[in-house]
Amino acid sequence: MIDLHTHSLVSDGTDTPAELVAKAAQAGLTTVALTDHDTAAGWVEAAEAAQQHGIALVRGAELSTKHHGQSVHLLAYLYDPEHEELTSLLARVLDDRTPRLKAMVALMAEDGIDITWDAVAEFAEVGTTPGRPHIADALVARGVVGHRNEAFDRWLHNGSPYYVKHFSLETAEAVRLVREAGGVPVVAHPFAAKRGPLSAEAVRELAAAGMLGIEVDHRDHDDAARALAADLAAELDLIPTGSSDYHGTGKHNLLGENTTSPESLARIEAAATSKITVLR
Ligand code: AMP
Ligand code: FE
Ligand code: FE
Ligand code: ZN
């Protein structure tokens, strides 16, 4: 069982990288990818745990990008984390996340929602990638909502009046940089209804820019979305993947609930050209 999309406390998951890897092994996975948002900061800890638990590890990240102004999550596998241009742009994304969250908190507080930056900072400062889920965590801790999902549905979704953008890369530029860094770019959950799905044309444009894979099986894809993604994978010769997008207790997604075929993993490995290999 191969699960190629998970998050740890380094971004907006709730397990440490080591805990996540241990749980992946317990869940019967043979291979897990750690794909925290915009960072490789969990790789070393995850690698140690993977060796200890006898599970293969794909080191990756999920990059926050935009295509024609629309938010696109781009999974990047096996890239060189020392590639200067990619790393410096990701540092810019990370740097802009705190002022952006502060701006969202200020808008919410002005409107009478019971939230302060200090309350959010307790959650946002644990890892390296502060995000909206940490505002949600503060709201849950204060008893304002029962779960992260509720905070997103009410106030934190992309169309909310409290939504503030952070700096992000153009998706096509991110695709180019990930390839230059020897990695394999795969578009995450392209047709997730709540995020505002990409068009098939956008997927074609990204494939033309060098994108190599498409997440087909994902909780946020219904049957029609999965069929469209699989058709595009065939049409564009993209590597089809499936993943849980596990976030610990932050989402209901369970490790291994969607999986990737050994053939697709082999294609990802064959396409990677950096010194970062799948750890076995
Ligand atoms: P950000 O990177 O700060 O824009 O936040 C995006 C993150 O919010 C995504 O990576 C998801 O993990 C999380 N997210 C989005 N929608 C929801 C939801 N409905 N419930 C829980 N988490 C969500
Ligand atoms: Fe997330
Ligand atoms: Fe995502
Ligand atoms: Zn994700």
Side-chain angles (χ1 to χ4, degrees), residues 187-220:
V187 66
H189 45 65
F191 306 126
K194 272 194 186 172
R195 290 182 50 80
L198 291 182
S199 65
E201 207 38 50
V203 172
R204 291 189 183 98
E205 288 164 5
L206 296 175
M211 192 175 70
L212 294 174
I214 183 166
E215 202 170 53
V216 173
D217 292 315
H218 184 283
R219 173 183 286 242
D220 297 346

Side-chain angles (χ1 to χ4, degrees), residues 68-129:
H68 302 312
Q70 190 179 356
S71 164
V72 176
H73 282 180
L74 185 73
L75 292 160
Y77 297 116
L78 304 172
Y79 65 93
D80 176 2
E82 283 161 10
H83 184 277
E84 225 164 272
E85 198 180 348
L86 179 58
T87 310
S88 69
L89 282 166
L90 291 182
R92 241 182 104 183
V93 175
L94 294 178
D95 281 350
D96 196 43
R97 279 175 163 277
T98 297
R100 171 271 195 146
L101 280 191
K102 284 184 177 168
M104 287 189 66
V105 168
L107 288 173
M108 293 170 73
E110 264 169 40
D111 236 16
I113 299 165
D114 177 22
I115 190 76
T116 65
W117 174 250
D118 284 349
V120 175
E122 274 183 47
F123 297 93
E125 284 168 1
V126 175
T128 61
T129 316

Side-chain angles (χ1 to χ4, degrees), residues 10-223:
V10 163
S11 63
D12 57 357
T14 59
D15 296 315
T16 64
E19 286 165 353
L20 185 154
V21 168
K23 288 180 185 180
Q26 278 158 24
L29 297 181
T30 52
T31 304
V32 68
L34 179 68
T35 54
D36 278 306
H37 297 285
D38 304 313
T39 184
W43 286 11
V44 171
E45 184 183 324
E48 275 173 26
Q51 303 279 298
Q52 195 182 323
H53 293 280
I55 182 171
L57 177 72
V58 177
R59 288 165 284 184
E62 183 178 22
L63 310 186
S64 311
T65 73
K66 56 182 186 298
H67 186 63
H68 302 312
Q70 190 179 356
S71 164
V72 176
H73 282 180
L74 185 73
L75 292 160
Y77 297 116
L78 304 172
Y79 65 93
D80 176 2
E82 283 161 10
H83 184 277
E84 225 164 272
E85 198 180 348
L86 179 58
T87 310
S88 69
L89 282 166
L90 291 182
R92 241 182 104 183
V93 175
L94 294 178
D95 281 350
D96 196 43
R97 279 175 163 277
T98 297
R100 171 271 195 146
L101 280 191
K102 284 184 177 168
M104 287 189 66
V105 168
L107 288 173
M108 293 170 73
E110 264 169 40
D111 236 16
I113 299 165
D114 177 22
I115 190 76
T116 65
W117 174 250
D118 284 349
V120 175
E122 274 183 47
F123 297 93
E125 284 168 1
V126 175
T128 61
T129 316
R132 282 177 282 164
H134 302 116
I135 300 181
D137 288 343
L139 291 164
V140 172
R142 291 161 98 79
V144 180
V145 294
H147 189 272
R148 273 186 189 179
N149 285 333
E150 193 186 336
F152 271 86
D153 289 345
R154 291 175 70 176
W155 301 309
L156 300 177
H157 57 90
N158 292 8
S160 162
Y162 308 120
Y163 180 76
V164 177
K165 281 186 187 159
H166 59 74
F167 167 77
S168 59
L169 290 73
E170 289 294 329
T171 315
E173 176 77 345
V175 162
R176 181 184 71 76
L177 287 168
V178 169
R179 294 291 299 274
E180 212 180 274
V184 183
V186 174
V187 66
H189 45 65
F191 306 126
K194 272 194 186 172
R195 290 182 50 80
L198 291 182
S199 65
E201 207 38 50
V203 172
R204 291 189 183 98
E205 288 164 5
L206 296 175
M211 192 175 70
L212 294 174
I214 183 166
E215 202 170 53
V216 173
D217 292 315
H218 184 283
R219 173 183 286 242
D220 297 346
H221 278 180
D222 61 15
D223 289 346

